[in-house]
Short mmCIF file of all heavy atoms in Angstrom, two decimals:
data_model
loop_
_atom_site.label_atom_id
_atom_site.label_comp_id
_atom_site.label_asym_id
_atom_site.label_seq_id
_atom_site.Cartn_x
_atom_site.Cartn_y
_atom_site.Cartn_z
N LYS A 145 -59.17 18.53 4.59
CA LYS A 145 -59.31 17.96 5.94
C LYS A 145 -60.79 17.78 6.31
O LYS A 145 -61.17 16.71 6.81
CB LYS A 145 -58.68 18.92 6.96
CG LYS A 145 -57.16 19.00 6.89
CD LYS A 145 -56.63 20.01 7.91
CE LYS A 145 -55.13 20.19 7.78
NZ LYS A 145 -54.63 21.23 8.73
N GLU A 146 -61.59 18.80 6.05
CA GLU A 146 -62.97 18.77 6.51
C GLU A 146 -63.87 17.82 5.72
O GLU A 146 -64.88 17.33 6.24
CB GLU A 146 -63.56 20.19 6.46
CG GLU A 146 -62.90 21.16 7.44
CD GLU A 146 -63.43 22.56 7.35
OE1 GLU A 146 -64.17 22.85 6.37
OE2 GLU A 146 -63.13 23.38 8.23
N LEU A 147 -63.53 17.56 4.47
CA LEU A 147 -64.39 16.73 3.63
C LEU A 147 -64.01 15.26 3.62
O LEU A 147 -64.66 14.45 2.96
CB LEU A 147 -64.38 17.26 2.19
CG LEU A 147 -64.90 18.69 1.99
CD1 LEU A 147 -64.82 19.09 0.53
CD2 LEU A 147 -66.34 18.83 2.47
N LYS A 148 -62.94 14.92 4.35
CA LYS A 148 -62.48 13.54 4.38
C LYS A 148 -63.58 12.64 4.94
O LYS A 148 -64.13 12.87 6.01
CB LYS A 148 -61.23 13.45 5.24
CG LYS A 148 -60.46 12.16 5.06
CD LYS A 148 -59.12 12.20 5.77
CE LYS A 148 -58.34 10.93 5.54
NZ LYS A 148 -57.03 10.96 6.22
N GLY A 149 -63.94 11.60 4.19
CA GLY A 149 -64.95 10.65 4.63
C GLY A 149 -66.37 11.08 4.38
O GLY A 149 -67.31 10.34 4.69
N LYS A 150 -66.58 12.26 3.81
CA LYS A 150 -67.92 12.76 3.54
C LYS A 150 -68.50 12.10 2.27
O LYS A 150 -67.77 11.70 1.37
CB LYS A 150 -67.90 14.28 3.34
CG LYS A 150 -67.43 15.07 4.55
CD LYS A 150 -68.51 15.19 5.60
CE LYS A 150 -68.09 16.15 6.70
NZ LYS A 150 -69.09 16.24 7.78
N ASN A 151 -69.83 12.03 2.24
CA ASN A 151 -70.52 11.53 1.04
C ASN A 151 -70.67 12.71 0.08
O ASN A 151 -71.55 13.55 0.24
CB ASN A 151 -71.89 10.97 1.43
CG ASN A 151 -72.72 10.56 0.21
OD1 ASN A 151 -72.17 10.31 -0.86
ND2 ASN A 151 -74.04 10.54 0.38
N ILE A 152 -69.78 12.75 -0.94
CA ILE A 152 -69.78 13.84 -1.92
C ILE A 152 -70.36 13.33 -3.22
O ILE A 152 -69.90 12.34 -3.78
CB ILE A 152 -68.36 14.38 -2.12
CG1 ILE A 152 -67.80 14.92 -0.81
CG2 ILE A 152 -68.35 15.48 -3.19
CD1 ILE A 152 -66.34 15.36 -0.88
N VAL A 153 -71.37 14.04 -3.71
CA VAL A 153 -72.00 13.70 -4.99
C VAL A 153 -71.75 14.86 -5.95
O VAL A 153 -72.04 16.02 -5.64
CB VAL A 153 -73.52 13.49 -4.83
CG1 VAL A 153 -74.18 13.33 -6.20
CG2 VAL A 153 -73.79 12.28 -3.95
N CYS A 154 -71.18 14.52 -7.10
CA CYS A 154 -70.89 15.57 -8.09
C CYS A 154 -71.95 15.53 -9.19
O CYS A 154 -72.21 14.49 -9.79
CB CYS A 154 -69.50 15.36 -8.70
SG CYS A 154 -69.03 16.72 -9.82
N LEU A 155 -72.53 16.69 -9.46
CA LEU A 155 -73.69 16.79 -10.37
C LEU A 155 -73.36 17.66 -11.58
O LEU A 155 -72.59 18.61 -11.50
CB LEU A 155 -74.84 17.46 -9.59
CG LEU A 155 -76.10 17.80 -10.37
CD1 LEU A 155 -76.93 16.54 -10.63
CD2 LEU A 155 -76.91 18.84 -9.62
N ASP A 156 -73.96 17.29 -12.71
CA ASP A 156 -73.93 18.17 -13.89
C ASP A 156 -75.23 18.04 -14.64
O ASP A 156 -75.83 16.95 -14.68
CB ASP A 156 -72.75 17.87 -14.80
CG ASP A 156 -72.57 18.99 -15.85
OD1 ASP A 156 -72.07 20.05 -15.46
OD2 ASP A 156 -72.96 18.78 -17.01
#
Side-chain angles (χ1 to χ4, degrees):
K145 290 178 184 177
E146 294 178 348
L147 298 180
K148 195 171 182 180
K150 298 282 188 183
N151 175 22
I152 300 174
V153 173
C154 186
L155 174 77
D156 192 75

